[in-house]
Amino acid sequence: MTGIRLTAPAPGWSIDADVVVVGSGVAGLTAALRCAAAGLATVVVTKARLDDGSTRWAQGGIAAALGEGDTPQQHLDDTLVAGAGLCDEDAVRALVTEGPDAVRRLIGTGARFDTTDGGDIALTREGGHHRRRIAHAGGDATGAEISRALVDAVREAALHTVENALVLDLLTDAEGRTAGVTLHVMGEGRHDGVGAVRAPAVVLATGGMGQVFSATTNPAVSTGDGVALALRAGAEVSDLEFVQFHPTVLFLGAGSEGQQPLVSEAVRGEGAHLVDASGTRFMLGQHELAELAPRDIVAKAITRQMERHGTEHMYLDARHFGAGMWEQRFPTILAACRTHGIDPVTEPIPVSPAAHYASGGVRTDLRGRTTVPGLYACGEVACTGVHGANRLASNSLLEGLVFAERIAADIVGHLPRAGAAVTDPGPAPSPLLDPGARTAVQRIMTRGAGVLRSAEGLAAAAEALEALHDDAVRAAAGDGSTDGPKPVEPGVHAWEATNLLLVSRVLVAAARRREETRGCHWREDRPERDDENWRRHLVVRLTPERRPVLRRTETEAFGPVDPAQPSHCAAAPPNHPSDVTEES
């Protein structure tokens, strides 16, 4: 255990429970409903409203072998190819074999998917899939429908929910076991200010960390809070360097920042073409699936074309769909485009890549357990080994669904027990970053750790991030001089900025270490995939001194996730960066 916590007031109120689930997307609400159904006192904590997480923004759908002639083995094969040699096959097999029934249970919960005239679930294709296996709802509003169904079920079950609450840190007992979480409720609801939910089981389902970049498809709440909490608590994270940039995000102009409108891969699945300004299709001949190649390949191809032509975007041409198909199949995307002055019925859509999904995260086993006893993780915050170096399209909702059910089964069967929470873990609280530096973090990451990476760019990013960290440390030390940096007051914006900085430092450290190009990690200076040295996972933990410690697994196997197991790692390759520690 690190003993590191954010600078925050002591909890002024508390709730006792068996399980606290942090997050209200498909993963969090599924886990909560299953635990509550088994009679466990379950509390759901969510950063905004119950339906404001990343799930409701998912357009394309949920992948499962539901169609005639499709099999879990074929779904597994496509997932392994997309993952570029780093998927954990056992995790993928669990996903694809349990996935179809999990989707059916979701339907039983109330989710309504689009159907064919014959009443079967309508299926489409997306990048990397060789078959139509993407179930969708409302045309391109799948996430919104899944969120609606699960939120309705949570309200019907009268689960205890705490909305508008930012989770701060993990509570642990004297033995290092999970004892709950601290959180700050942002002025609405039955509680206000900093409080605690005391529970022996904590499920992190906090979503992604897309806000570490200037432009992302992620909502504003995706600030890496779960990964940061886990790191401070001493948990291991893995594969954090593998950030998927969605190839087709609506281009809103140079310098656009924040959440950007997504143009779902399903548009290409239905036959849209990627073209340059002259109308030439550039994916032909680059991959057997052309526009439906895995996302990393398409994002790289678009980026290369942008560099070749000296432009900031390419185009997605679906004019041949006609107005009727656009209105019926993609009403959400059609409305978003028209809101920004583009009519895809009559003109190509300008698109460019933007940060979309974290394939890595808090390292878990097949039951969602992390390396901290009693702490679980599922959904985008977790690294189960399913995605490897690049997530296959529409596997994210399925992963959240399947592994949330697995977590609930483990908690119900083996509810952990914890002693009283330790109120003074030891080291001084983690210094807070000035909220005004949030934009600086995002621009550093976009410039140095975006789609195109290099040793030089990553080194510059690491140096700039460490300078921000040092500024925070100096400000927290506060020598009282009038011209020195002033300590940052605790608050939501400061906590979010601090989380973004921590996650960014760890991501860049891992990206510097991985000296190859694999999946969605693209090193211009190391353009080839190197299986001999790098078909391995990078596992990171944080020292009590707040420094990342990296180890490299001995093989591509994901390895055990057990706090009782000793860590083993391979020897460090030569010339690894000196600003992080290499564990052996």
Side-chain angles (χ1 to χ4, degrees), residues 524-537:
E524 292 181 284
D525 55 329
R526 303 279 182 165
E528 302 301 323
R529 174 168 152 174
D530 179 1
D531 280 349
E532 181 178 354
N533 290 305
W534 285 109
R535 194 176 176 189
R536 309 284 190 275
H537 298 275

Side-chain angles (χ1 to χ4, degrees), residues 182-196:
T182 56
L183 61 152
H184 175 81
V185 179
M186 294 174 269
E188 297 181 31
R190 288 174 291 176
H191 305 285
D192 195 5
V194 175

Side-chain angles (χ1 to χ4, degrees), residues 342-357:
I342 298 149
D343 188 350
V345 176
T346 60
E347 61 187 316
I349 306 167
V351 293
S352 62
H356 181 60
Y357 190 88

Side-chain angles (χ1 to χ4, degrees), residues 202-205 362 364 368-370 375-379 381-382 384 403 407:
V202 171
V203 180
L204 292 179
V362 185
T364 76
R369 300 180 302 176
T370 74
L375 178 65
Y376 296 79
C378 56
V381 70
T384 62
F403 282 85
I407 285 173

Side-chain angles (χ1 to χ4, degrees), residues 170 202-209 224-240 358-366 368-372 375-387 399 403 407 503 506 538-540 558 561:
L170 190 73
V202 171
V203 180
L204 292 179
T206 52
M209 54 186 188
D225 307 319
V227 171
L229 175 150
L231 282 164
R232 287 192 295 270
E236 292 182 339
V237 303
S238 186
D239 300 350
L240 216 61
S359 292
V362 185
R363 189 165 168 266
T364 76
D365 65 7
L366 293 179
R369 300 180 302 176
T370 74
T371 50
V372 175
L375 178 65
Y376 296 79
C378 56
E380 190 173 354
V381 70
C383 184
T384 62
V386 159
H387 304 307
E399 183 201 29
F403 282 85
I407 285 173
V503 171
V506 174
L538 282 174
V539 180
V540 188
F558 204 56
V561 178

